[in-house]
Amino acid sequence: MGNGEETLGTIDRAATISEVAALAGVSPGTASKALNGRGALRPETRQRVQEAAEQLGFVANAAARSLQAGRTYTVGMITTDSIGRFSIPLLIGAEDALGAGQVSVFLCDARDDPIREQYYLRTLLGRQVDGIIVTGRRTQARHPIGPSLPVPVVYAFISSTDPADCSVVPDEADGARRAIDHLLAIGRRRIAHVTGPEHHHSATVRASATMQTLASAGLEPVAPILFGEWSEAWGRQAAGILLSTEAPVDAVFCGSDQIARGLAEALQEAGRRVPADIALIGFDNWDVMVDGCRPALTSIDMDLEGIGRTAAELLLAAINGEPAHGRHALPGRLVPRASTAVYPVL
Amino acid sequence: MGNGEETLGTIDRAATISEVAALAGVSPGTASKALNGRGALRPETRQRVQEAAEQLGFVANAAARSLQAGRTYTVGMITTDSIGRFSIPLLIGAEDALGAGQVSVFLCDARDDPIREQYYLRTLLGRQVDGIIVTGRRTQARHPIGPSLPVPVVYAFISSTDPADCSVVPDEADGARRAIDHLLAIGRRRIAHVTGPEHHHSATVRASATMQTLASAGLEPVAPILFGEWSEAWGRQAAGILLSTEAPVDAVFCGSDQIARGLAEALQEAGRRVPADIALIGFDNWDVMVDGCRPALTSIDMDLEGIGRTAAELLLAAINGEPAHGRHALPGRLVPRASTAVYPVL
DNA sequence: AAACGGAAGGAAAACGATTGCCTAGACGCT
DNA sequence: AGCGTCTAGGCAATCGTTTTCCTTCCGTTT
């Protein structure tokens, strides 16, 4: 019939709706109506068109469609920091919420470079994305990505310094609170906090929530808060510092799972039992760390997928004319494991 | 002038080339030529148009452009397994090679579900992507994603069972060879191999390359190859097995960094020194594992970013009419660290 | 029997950018 | 002065789909 659509080799060219229409013996306009369930058509005509479309493997050209619809059913996702451990769950969550809505995602990795970021922003706008999600590795607020954009923007994990922008972030203070509450609930009172660098937003937020929660229980940390870096090595080092303190420690809340794991190793090498002598809580609930640690590590899960999903949902709402504003903080979740088990459980 | 493009609030609508042309006092066609450096135009006209475009923040509508060009400067990336530790470097590498060529990437996470995969495939074809990269978590060959597609496809990390397809994969046998050669070079002869599940393609490939390399040195493994799973727990367990063997072991090549790390811990708890008594090599060169391990872990790096980049380059070549075929295996790289240091180095 | 109404489908104009072709000047040459 | 040539830029078609009118035809009603 046509010009070789039955070839077994590579299909050279996608079929157009005009070809479908010709095969079904109708006009292109009618074919469009048939395939999209619009207009007034006889059921048999509709079916004839559908069969023709199937036979030719017709898929509507999205460029033509968006040209006339003024919408692309496409969003951009810019990760300001390189795609990493935090970006991925966010990405999965967002992709989840958008994929269900037939929206495709352009992924852009700006690598923490403002030039690349602006370049990608222009590219995305040129591609007429319906909206943009901005993501990063740190929760710290950042400058808005552009002054006044023709499409809605939602910040995920990071937040924008402009309160009118929409941001979805983890409630890190809430996470710290849950951690301390848990340690109090299992009867620990001599609690220390070891965390990342003092200039890091997450570290300070979690540290001050830790202080506050202890204070409202009438306690204070058994040692000054230990700021260091987000690594196992620092966890090991911190263990040494804590053990040389005069005051005995019976629990440590760590700012990350890596720190906690380093601490666990070093404490046990020094003869302390976990959790019998010292209970341990991490932060992030990073599978390889919490499972690799011995004993398995209790941790705070920030529900990154949920953040990605929520951001995508808010973006879709904004695209549909119902923009949200401000900072939406999502609560975390404590995942109890052996490192805080009440002892005679075993 | 226009209808409020100077508003400080949100820009409602992107400017079109006709508006730019009107502002510059030329026709749309001329404006197009001015902005794309075509046609015969007076320099001053060209500049006038460029200034108008700048003033209106003009970015060409990609849908319109691709509609007429028949190309979208867009590729799809389907990860058959969920986006994970292996997919990301691939993604970064690909994004790197494509971004430089002004090509945007649609990311699709098929989650190992054939239905989702086909759905995404149709979506991508509808969006008229110029090409598709298929990625996964395992290196095992898989069925081609579709029988005869209108666009080129390149498989990255995984490979296609159809030899006519183009695949870019790590040379895992080469990696294993390098590991064993390294152990031999530092004088070890009593070498064991602990790896993942026997039904896992990577495990068997690496294991048989290990055997072969040992054989060509006139050796054989000091213990039967230990197949298990890709976890630290299995590494610890395997340590027990190896230590209960009569024959003393002086080096272990592990199928993953996680196994190696578990092994390292357990060996040292049992009083063996690493690397003095037993040298250790992992596989993957996964930063958190090799750095977290004590001593730091020598490992094989499969250069995933390079694979992603190469796949993207081959895809671009195919799009430009120079398709490549077959399986392209990229060599790995040994990254030496303390776990195989020749002892009196310290 | 004439008029009306509804159903089914066609024709054509969008959407925005690109590009080949054409025209209107301007300049130079004879 | 008249013709040819070159240059700058306008015109209109094109890409594939959707959608808004229309038109046509058939059946029904008075």
Side-chain angles (χ1 to χ4, degrees):
Chain A
M1 292 273 136
N3 48 356
E5 64 268 3
E6 315 245 302
T7 324
L8 286 180
T10 301
I11 297 170
D12 293 320
R13 204 173 44 83
T16 71
I17 202 168
S18 298
E19 292 166 349
V20 172
L23 182 58
V26 297
S27 74
T30 303
S32 170
K33 289 169 196 158
L35 296 173
N36 295 305
R38 273 167 241 217
L41 273 66
R42 271 194 315 228
E44 66 205 69
T45 308
R46 210 174 278 279
Q47 196 185 344
R48 197 150 33 89
V49 173
Q50 279 162 355
E51 282 165 3
E54 186 120 1
Q55 186 180 332
L56 297 179
F58 171 75
V59 189
N61 182 322
R65 179 178 273 171
S66 26
L67 184 55
Q68 101 89 30
R71 264 194 74 164
T72 54
Y73 290 91
T74 279
V75 310
M77 187 146 177
I78 300 184
T79 63
T80 58
D81 282 298
S82 209
I83 305 170
R85 183 158 58 86
F86 295 113
S87 317
I88 299 144
L90 292 166
L91 191 60
I92 292 177
E95 221 254 344
D96 201 18
L98 295 168
Q102 313 266 39
V103 172
S104 298
V105 180
F106 275 123
L107 183 66
C108 307
D109 181 3
R111 312 212 180 146
D112 219 355
D113 174 354
I115 309 270
R116 286 180 73 100
E117 188 174 301
Q118 288 304 309
Y119 164 77
Y120 276 127
L121 182 58
R122 286 185 66 86
T123 304
L124 289 176
L125 293 179
R127 291 193 185 276
Q128 313 291 119
V129 293
D130 296 333
I132 296 177
I133 295 178
V134 179
T135 309
R137 175 154 41 94
R138 284 179 299 220
T139 54
Q140 187 147 25
R142 52 155 288 159
H143 291 298
I145 192 164
S148 66
L149 301 176
V151 295
V153 176
V154 174
Y155 296 79
F157 197 64
I158 58 175
S159 61
S160 165
T161 49
D162 182 345
D165 286 338
C166 177
S167 311
V168 183
V169 297
D171 190 336
E172 301 184 271
D174 171 77
R177 211 172 300 127
R178 284 169 199 258
I180 299 298
D181 284 345
H182 180 63
L183 292 177
L184 294 174
I186 61 170
R188 308 301 165 114
R189 292 294 177 273
R190 312 196 54 83
I191 300 173
H193 183 48
V194 177
T195 189
E198 191 159 10
H199 60 75
H200 199 295
H201 179 253
S202 293
T204 57
V205 167
R206 297 173 194 173
S208 68
T210 298
M211 298 286 282
Q212 277 181 26
T213 311
L214 285 174
S216 31
L219 297 171
E220 58 180 29
V222 70
I225 288 179
L226 294 175
F227 291 100
E229 53 174 44
W230 304 113
S231 71
E232 293 188 52
W234 161 237
R236 288 190 210 106
Q237 198 179 335
I241 300 177
L242 285 179
L243 292 179
S244 67
T245 303
E246 300 160 18
V249 174
D250 67 9
V252 184
F253 167 40
C254 299
S256 83
D257 290 334
Q258 288 186 77
I259 293 175
R261 182 166 182 182
L263 210 62
E265 271 184 24
L267 288 177
Q268 291 174 102
E269 278 170 18
R272 300 304 198 280
R273 291 167 304 166
V274 176
D277 301 327
I278 301 181
L280 233 42
I281 294 193
F283 207 107
D284 292 342
N285 196 35
W286 185 11
D287 51 1
V288 292
M289 285 296 141
V290 296
D291 294 338
C293 186
R294 279 186 310 165
L297 195 60
T298 297
S299 191
I300 302 293
D301 190 314
M302 289 188 281
D303 189 19
L304 295 176
E305 279 201 35
I307 291 175
R309 193 161 38 244
T310 305
E313 284 162 0
L314 290 177
L315 185 64
L316 289 178
I319 290 171
N320 291 323
E322 294 169 12
H325 299 282
R327 213 165 148 281
H328 301 242
L330 262 54
R333 182 168 64 94
L334 182 129
V335 183
R337 294 196 183 82
S339 73
T340 58
V342 173
Y343 195 54
V345 153
L346 244 192
Chain B
M1 289 275 136
N3 48 356
E5 63 269 4
E6 315 246 301
T7 324
L8 286 180
T10 301
I11 296 170
D12 292 321
R13 206 173 44 85
T16 72
I17 202 168
S18 298
E19 292 166 348
V20 172
L23 182 58
V26 298
S27 76
T30 303
S32 170
K33 287 168 194 159
L35 295 174
N36 296 304
R38 273 167 239 215
L41 273 66
R42 269 193 317 229
E44 64 205 70
T45 309
R46 211 175 278 279
Q47 196 186 344
R48 197 150 33 89
V49 173
Q50 279 163 355
E51 282 165 4
E54 186 122 0
Q55 186 180 332
L56 297 179
F58 171 76
V59 189
N61 182 322
R65 179 177 272 171
S66 29
L67 185 56
Q68 103 89 30
R71 266 195 72 166
T72 53
Y73 290 91
T74 278
V75 310
M77 187 147 177
I78 300 185
T79 64
T80 59
D81 282 299
S82 209
I83 305 169
R85 183 158 59 86
F86 295 113
S87 317
I88 297 143
L90 293 166
L91 190 61
I92 293 178
E95 221 254 345
D96 201 18
L98 295 168
Q102 313 266 38
V103 172
S104 298
V105 180
F106 275 122
L107 182 66
C108 307
D109 179 5
R111 310 210 181 150
D112 218 355
D113 173 356
I115 308 271
R116 286 180 72 98
E117 188 174 302
Q118 288 305 308
Y119 164 77
Y120 275 126
L121 181 58
R122 285 184 68 85
T123 304
L124 289 175
L125 292 179
R127 291 193 184 277
Q128 313 291 119
V129 293
D130 296 334
I132 296 177
I133 296 178
V134 179
T135 309
R137 175 155 41 93
R138 284 179 299 219
T139 54
Q140 188 147 25
R142 51 156 289 160
H143 291 298
I145 193 165
S148 65
L149 301 176
V151 296
V153 176
V154 174
Y155 296 80
F157 197 64
I158 57 175
S159 62
S160 164
T161 50
D162 182 345
D165 286 337
C166 177
S167 312
V168 183
V169 297
D171 191 336
E172 300 184 271
D174 171 77
R177 209 172 301 127
R178 284 168 199 259
I180 299 298
D181 284 346
H182 179 63
L183 292 176
L184 295 173
I186 62 169
R188 307 301 164 115
R189 292 294 178 273
R190 313 196 53 84
I191 299 175
H193 183 46
V194 178
T195 189
E198 192 159 9
H199 61 75
H200 199 294
H201 178 252
S202 293
T204 57
V205 168
R206 296 173 194 174
S208 68
T210 298
M211 299 286 282
Q212 278 180 26
T213 311
L214 285 173
S216 31
L219 297 172
E220 58 181 29
V222 69
I225 287 180
L226 294 175
F227 290 100
E229 53 174 44
W230 305 113
S231 71
E232 292 188 53
W234 162 238
R236 286 191 210 105
Q237 198 180 334
I241 300 176
L242 285 179
L243 292 179
S244 68
T245 303
E246 300 161 17
V249 173
D250 66 10
V252 185
F253 167 40
C254 299
S256 83
D257 290 335
Q258 288 187 76
I259 293 174
R261 182 165 182 182
L263 211 63
E265 270 184 24
L267 288 176
Q268 291 175 100
E269 277 170 18
R272 301 304 199 282
R273 292 167 304 167
V274 176
D277 302 326
I278 301 182
L280 233 43
I281 293 193
F283 207 107
D284 293 342
N285 197 34
W286 185 10
D287 52 2
V288 291
M289 285 296 140
V290 296
D291 293 339
C293 186
R294 280 187 310 165
L297 194 61
T298 296
S299 190
I300 302 293
D301 190 314
M302 290 187 279
D303 188 18
L304 296 175
E305 278 200 36
I307 291 176
R309 192 162 40 244
T310 305
E313 284 162 0
L314 290 176
L315 185 65
L316 289 176
I319 291 171
N320 291 322
E322 294 169 12
H325 300 282
R327 212 163 148 282
H328 300 242
L330 262 54
R333 182 169 64 95
L334 182 129
V335 183
R337 293 197 183 81
S339 72
T340 58
V342 173
Y343 197 54
V345 153
L346 246 192

